[in-house]
């Protein structure tokens, strides 16, 4: 009986020490998702900003899509959408030649309404965007 009581006390102390040791460890910071996406599906568009794991989006209608196949053009594609909060917004895919070949960078171009309080896209001016065009 005495051995069983000592075993229970030791197990309780070990459990308490394990709990205290877990509290003493520093919290590991989890990585937060970040990204900027222009999603096109036929006549519908969504501009999606993900910052520190929080997602906000601006829904719109596709006004114009122009894709240029020429390697000599500085612009590879242009996407224009009309949104309720931001007005008419344009993204340009710009070609940039590097040692590995041609690459493209998608950027949002400023208009006066991007600074309006209801428009969340103004936070994405300095970001590189990814276009996901599901129009087929």
């Amino acid at each position: 009986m005495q051995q069983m009581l000592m075993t229970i006390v030791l197990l309780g102390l070990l459990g308490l020490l394990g709990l205290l040791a877990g509290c003493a460890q520093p919290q590991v910071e989890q990585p937060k998702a970040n990204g900027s996406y222009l999603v096109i599906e036929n006549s519908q568009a969504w501009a999606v900003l993900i910052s520190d794991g929080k997602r906000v989006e601006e829904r719109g209608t596709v006004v114009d899509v122009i894709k240029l196949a020429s390697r000599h053009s500085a612009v590879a594609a242009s996407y224009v959408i009309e949104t309720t909060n931001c007005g008419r917004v344009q993204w340009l895919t710009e070609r940039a030649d590097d040692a590995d070949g041609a690459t493209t960078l998608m950027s949002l171009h400023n208009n006066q309404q991007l600074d309006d309080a209801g428009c969340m896209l103004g936070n994405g001016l300095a970001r590189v965007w990814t276009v996901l065009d599901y129009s087929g």
Side-chain angles (χ1 to χ4, degrees), residues 74-128:
V75 175
S78 169
Y79 295 87
V80 179
I81 67 169
E82 182 80 35
T83 69
T84 303
N85 297 319
C86 302
R88 195 168 280 204
V89 186
Q90 180 180 29
W91 282 261
L92 290 177
T93 304
E94 301 166 9
R95 280 198 178 86
D97 291 328
D98 60 10
D100 296 330
T103 61
T104 57
L105 301 174
M106 185 62 139
S107 58
L108 172 64
H109 286 265
N110 200 356
N111 74 13
Q112 294 173 349
Q113 289 180 299
L114 290 179
D115 295 329
D116 289 352
C119 178
M120 64 85 192
L121 293 179
N123 296 331
L125 281 173
R127 293 176 169 225
V128 174

Side-chain angles (χ1 to χ4, degrees), residues 7-30:
T7 303
I8 292 172
V9 169
L10 282 174
L11 287 175
L13 283 173
L14 287 174
L16 181 60
L17 286 174
L19 180 64
L20 290 175
C23 292
Q25 293 177 354
Q27 293 292 329
V28 177
E29 190 172 319
Q30 297 294 324

Side-chain angles (χ1 to χ4, degrees), residues 11-80:
L11 287 175
L13 283 173
L14 287 174
L16 181 60
L17 286 174
L19 180 64
L20 290 175
C23 292
Q25 293 177 354
Q27 293 292 329
V28 177
E29 190 172 319
Q30 297 294 324
K32 305 284 183 172
N34 291 301
S36 307
Y37 304 94
L38 176 62
V39 182
I40 305 285
E41 186 172 357
N42 299 320
S43 65
Q44 298 298 309
W46 296 265
V48 181
L49 286 173
I50 303 170
S51 181
D52 294 328
K54 294 180 181 160
R55 180 181 188 268
V56 292
E57 73 177 50
E58 184 74 34
R59 188 180 179 123
T61 304
V62 176
V63 175
D64 195 18
V65 175
I66 299 171
K67 296 179 183 177
L68 303 172
S70 172
R71 293 271 181 212
H72 302 292
S73 171
V75 175
S78 169
Y79 295 87
V80 179

